[in-house]
Amino acid sequence: MPNFLPINTILVPQGAEYKAVCRGLSGVTGSIPTVVAIPVGMKPLLKYLQQGEFLAPSRVLIMGICGSLSDRYTVGDIVLYQDCVYQGKRLECDRTFTTQLHSEISEKASLVKSMTSDRVIWSAAEKRRLGEMAADVVDMEGFTALEFFNAAGVTVAMLRVVSDNCQHDIPDLTPAINSDGSLNPFPLAIGMLRQPLAATRLIRGSLTALKVLEQVTNRLFSSNK
């Protein structure tokens, strides 16, 4: 039974994450959702959503990669968000939708508490400190999307794959994110070159996470599970 839920729309950050989800859907027959590439970061995403360039769907699945704030979650782990926190405010993902997704993914997907950040959380020390404040993973879009869609009466679930752990630093790529939520190649390259070991680790982790993201997308929407 393809598109079991049904999910109208998948939102996924533009670039490599978007491409991975599209690859995952490329061999799927039957009904597949619309995949929308969204800007990276809270402010660019809010601006994009407020422009209302796509029709208000009834069920949205947000996909992508995230960073771990806990020793329990490592590179390549699939996580489903129970809720999302930003500056002390907490919003819940739709429980029924999340439970349905959880039962559909045959391999283990962990139910986690997430937080959203308006910048890249790059240092291992900060990741661990944030992890002690009752969040398991971090991303840069979740809370904004939840707040917007909850207000619009749209059902939301979030599924992500961990791309970096909390034991190591990654390069600080915040300066590489443009105000429109796109990535600027030059500052991105500079950030990588300044911390070559951290950059290598980030690239390796991201490639692993993107492969898992592609696989889990395919599994969710394939009729031959």
Side-chain angles (χ1 to χ4, degrees):
M1 50 172 194
N3 205 353
F4 60 100
L5 288 171
I7 296 166
N8 310 79
T9 307
I10 295 174
L11 299 189
V12 57
Q14 61 191 21
E17 294 163 83
Y18 172 76
K19 288 174 185 168
V21 169
C22 289
R23 280 196 304 274
L25 290 171
S26 62
V28 174
T29 55
S31 171
I32 60 169
T34 304
V35 186
V36 179
I38 57 173
V40 174
M42 299 184 74
K43 284 182 182 172
L45 176 59
L46 182 59
K47 186 178 175 185
Y48 174 81
L49 292 173
Q50 286 172 339
Q51 286 168 352
E53 288 181 9
F54 56 98
L55 292 171
S58 59
R59 274 189 153 183
V60 167
L61 175 60
I62 294 163
M63 300 185 78
I65 58 178
C66 61
S68 175
L69 302 175
S70 163
D71 290 328
R72 294 191 300 278
Y73 306 104
T74 189
V75 172
D77 284 355
I78 301 166
V79 293
L80 277 164
Y81 289 10
Q82 292 174 302
D83 55 29
C84 198
V85 173
Y86 176 68
Q87 292 184 349
K89 289 191 286 185
R90 188 176 76 94
L91 295 173
E92 286 197 357
C93 295
D94 186 82
R95 288 185 185 182
T96 305
F97 191 4
T98 303
T99 302
Q100 287 173 323
L101 284 166
H102 198 223
S103 65
E104 277 294 321
I105 302 167
S106 49
E107 69 186 51
K108 187 166 74 75
S110 302
L111 292 167
V112 299
K113 296 183 179 301
S114 74
M115 67 165 287
T116 299
S117 171
D118 53 11
R119 59 190 172 81
V120 175
I121 306 297
W122 60 271
S123 85
E126 186 175 14
K127 287 187 209 177
R128 285 195 293 270
R129 183 176 63 76
L130 290 169
E132 288 164 8
M133 295 160 59
D136 302 307
V137 297
V138 61
D139 69 36
M140 296 180 69
E141 300 85 25
F143 188 90
T144 300
L146 259 184
E147 193 169 45
F148 179 84
F149 286 120
N150 281 359
V154 174
T155 301
V156 179
M158 300 201 208
L159 187 159
R160 291 196 180 235
V161 181
V162 175
S163 63
D164 56 279
N165 62 33
C166 67
Q167 288 94 1
H168 300 100
D169 293 353
I170 59 170
D172 181 8
L173 301 180
T174 304
I177 301 171
N178 294 326
S179 60
D180 65 354
S182 61
L183 287 174
N184 190 329
F186 186 67
L188 184 66
I190 296 293
M192 293 288 208
L193 289 168
R194 281 195 181 132
Q195 296 167 281
L197 275 176
T200 304
R201 197 177 291 119
L202 176 64
I203 292 165
R204 195 179 296 140
S206 296
L207 290 173
T208 299
L210 290 166
K211 188 68 187 169
V212 174
L213 183 63
E214 179 185 338
Q215 291 165 347
V216 74
T217 303
N218 186 267
R219 188 174 303 119
L220 267 180
F221 295 97
S222 289
S223 50
N224 56 346
K225 293 187 184 73

